């Protein structure tokens, strides 16, 4: 008797089913022992006009919302009410054009940095979308595909995660490589496909280490700390994608397989899962996230082609 051929698509579906089943069993078992700790949030607005597979989001100094509209190879700009104001960039390799952009970061000056993955470069725009400059992402003489970009509070160091070299690279705003760390591996300080990067006001760099299912934190002295571990229980991560910090130093981590955002305190201990109505808030294929000064959380839900904005608990 011939066995049916299992396609890649069906393998993926089986994997997702098994994950969902494991999560359901785990959450049910957890509920028997104790309720899942929840931080209640409130949905404010959804941004969706013209978006296709949004992957990241950043907030400008004036409150404008910049979304990496990956499927359309551009950046879409919205106001706080959810109205799309403009777009900039288009598919291509010329200055100002984008190919498969993934991450975005804001400089204190208001400039917009974009990880132009397909063109292996970082592109910089003005707050109004005018192209300012670009520089190739290279380390060790090799071209690197950038995944995300973040600028420190002083505007002097630009951190870029590399998808092909498994490193975090620190550049000057003009593109000069200052230093780097990481490399492919599972040890502390090593990465397997680093993704989103965020920088705290104290200079700590937070990096989502996707396949090692953790967030790694590097302080200015070079010490490494970790947030989360592999698993499907509260406080554990299965496929982390986004990281953001609030004004109290709490760490928010999105998980694109568990479809939740979890919160850890400034000592990197689990606090709660974001939820509403007494249940975890589902966030479909949650990717890049951001938090503004008004305690609003922005979550890119890639497969829903939208960014959802929430009011966070105090």
């Amino acid at each position: 008797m011939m066995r049916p051929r299992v396609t890649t698509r069906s393998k993926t579906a089986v994997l997702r089913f098994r994950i969902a089943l494991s999560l359901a069993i785990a959450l049910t078992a957890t509920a028997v022992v104790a309720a899942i700790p929840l931080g209640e949030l409130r949905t404010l607005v959804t941004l969706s006009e013209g978006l296709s597979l949004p992957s990241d989001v950043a907030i400008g100094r004036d409150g404008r919302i910049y979304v990496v509209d990956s499927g359309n190879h551009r950046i879409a700009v919205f106001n706080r009410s959810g109205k799309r104001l403009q777009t900039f960039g288009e598919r291509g390799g010329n200055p100002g054009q984008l190919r498969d952009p993934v991450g975005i970061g804001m400089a204190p000056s208001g400039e917009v940095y974009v990880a132009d993955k397909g063109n292996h470069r970082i592109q910089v725009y003005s707050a109004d979308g005018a192209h300012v400059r670009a520089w190739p992402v290279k380390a060790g003489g090799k071209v690197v595909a950038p995944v995300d970009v973040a600028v420190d509070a002083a505007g002097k160091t630009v951190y870029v995660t590399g998808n092909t070299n498994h490193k975090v690279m620190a550049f000057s705003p003009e593109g000069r490589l200052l230093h780097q760390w990481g490399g492919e591996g599972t040890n502390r300080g090593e990465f397997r496909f680093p993704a989103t990067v965020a920088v705290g006001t104290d200079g700590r760099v937070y990096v989502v280490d996707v396949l090692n299912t953790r967030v790694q934190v590097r302080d200015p002295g070079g010490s490494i700390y970790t947030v989360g571990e592999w698993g499907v229980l509260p406080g554990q991560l299965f496929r982390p994608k986004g990281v953001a910090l609030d004004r109290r130093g709490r760490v928010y981590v999105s998980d694109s397989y568990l479809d939740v955002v979890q919160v850890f305190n400034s000592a990197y201990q689990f606090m709660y899962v974001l939820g509403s109505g007494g249940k975890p808030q589902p966030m479909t294929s949650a990717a890049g996230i951001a938090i503004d000064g008004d305690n609003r959380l922005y979550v890119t839900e890639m497969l829903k082609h939208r960014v959802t904005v929430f009011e966070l608990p105090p």
Side-chain angles (χ1 to χ4, degrees):
M1 180 178 181
M2 294 182 62
R3 294 183 178 181
R5 184 166 60 93
V6 179
T7 64
T8 301
R9 182 176 179 182
S10 63
K11 286 181 179 179
T12 302
V14 169
L15 176 61
R16 290 188 70 98
F17 173 76
R18 288 176 177 172
I19 293 167
L21 180 60
S22 297
L23 178 60
I25 294 171
L27 293 182
T28 301
T30 303
V32 172
V33 179
I36 300 172
L38 292 179
E40 290 283 330
L41 46 64
R42 183 169 65 93
T43 303
L44 297 176
V45 67
T46 298
L47 320 177
S48 60
E49 183 181 347
L51 295 181
S52 174
L53 300 173
S55 57
D56 202 6
V57 58
I59 315 304
R61 293 187 302 177
D62 60 358
R64 282 184 288 180
I65 305 158
Y66 296 79
V67 180
V68 180
D69 188 7
S70 296
N72 291 315
H73 309 276
R74 65 187 183 185
I75 306 301
V77 186
F78 295 81
N79 65 18
R80 287 169 61 95
S81 299
K83 179 182 178 182
R84 194 179 74 182
L85 303 175
Q86 68 173 117
T87 64
F88 57 87
E90 62 181 358
R91 183 180 176 86
N94 293 326
Q97 295 180 327
L98 299 164
R99 182 176 286 114
D100 301 319
V102 181
I104 190 168
M106 303 296 299
S109 64
E111 288 184 327
V112 184
Y113 284 70
V114 179
D116 187 4
K117 181 181 178 183
N119 288 317
H120 302 92
R121 64 187 178 186
I122 298 297
Q123 296 217 62
V124 186
Y125 303 83
S126 72
D128 293 324
H131 185 253
V132 177
R133 62 186 178 278
W135 34 271
V137 179
K138 292 184 178 181
K142 296 183 179 180
V143 175
V144 178
V147 177
D148 197 20
V149 57
V151 185
D152 71 359
K156 295 182 178 180
T157 306
V158 182
Y159 294 95
V160 177
T161 49
N163 192 257
T164 48
N165 65 348
H166 306 277
K167 291 185 177 182
V168 179
M169 298 152 286
F171 294 90
S172 71
E174 292 73 37
R176 180 170 60 89
L177 181 64
L178 303 175
H179 61 91
Q180 58 184 318
W181 71 92
E184 187 172 9
T186 59
N187 295 324
R188 183 169 293 199
E190 296 176 332
F191 302 99
R192 289 196 298 160
F193 297 99
T196 307
V197 58
V199 187
T201 55
D202 60 358
R204 293 193 176 205
V205 182
Y206 297 74
V207 183
V208 174
D209 187 5
V210 177
L211 291 191
N212 285 328
T213 61
R214 63 191 177 188
V215 174
Q216 295 205 63
V217 187
R218 187 178 193 266
D219 70 17
S223 296
I224 303 292
Y225 309 87
T226 60
V227 182
E229 61 181 358
W230 183 88
V232 296
L233 295 174
Q236 297 177 329
L237 306 170
F238 193 89
R239 191 54 56 87
K241 283 296 179 66
V243 63
L245 309 170
D246 69 10
R247 55 197 176 198
R248 294 187 179 183
R250 292 176 292 200
V251 184
Y252 294 69
V253 183
S254 65
D255 195 305
S256 65
Y257 267 74
L258 302 184
D259 292 339
V260 296
V261 171
Q262 301 191 67
V263 184
F264 300 80
N265 64 23
S266 58
Y268 313 138
Q269 299 167 327
F270 172 70
M271 293 179 65
Y272 48 74
V273 176
L274 291 178
S276 61
K279 299 184 294 184
Q281 173 69 42
M283 301 179 189
T284 306
S285 300
I289 59 178
I291 299 173
D292 67 15
D294 293 325
N295 210 38
R296 291 160 48 120
L297 171 69
Y298 301 76
V299 180
T300 55
E301 297 183 85
M302 285 194 73
L303 298 185
K304 289 289 187 180
H305 309 288
R306 69 188 184 192
V307 176
T308 306
V309 186
F310 302 94
E311 180 181 64
L312 288 169

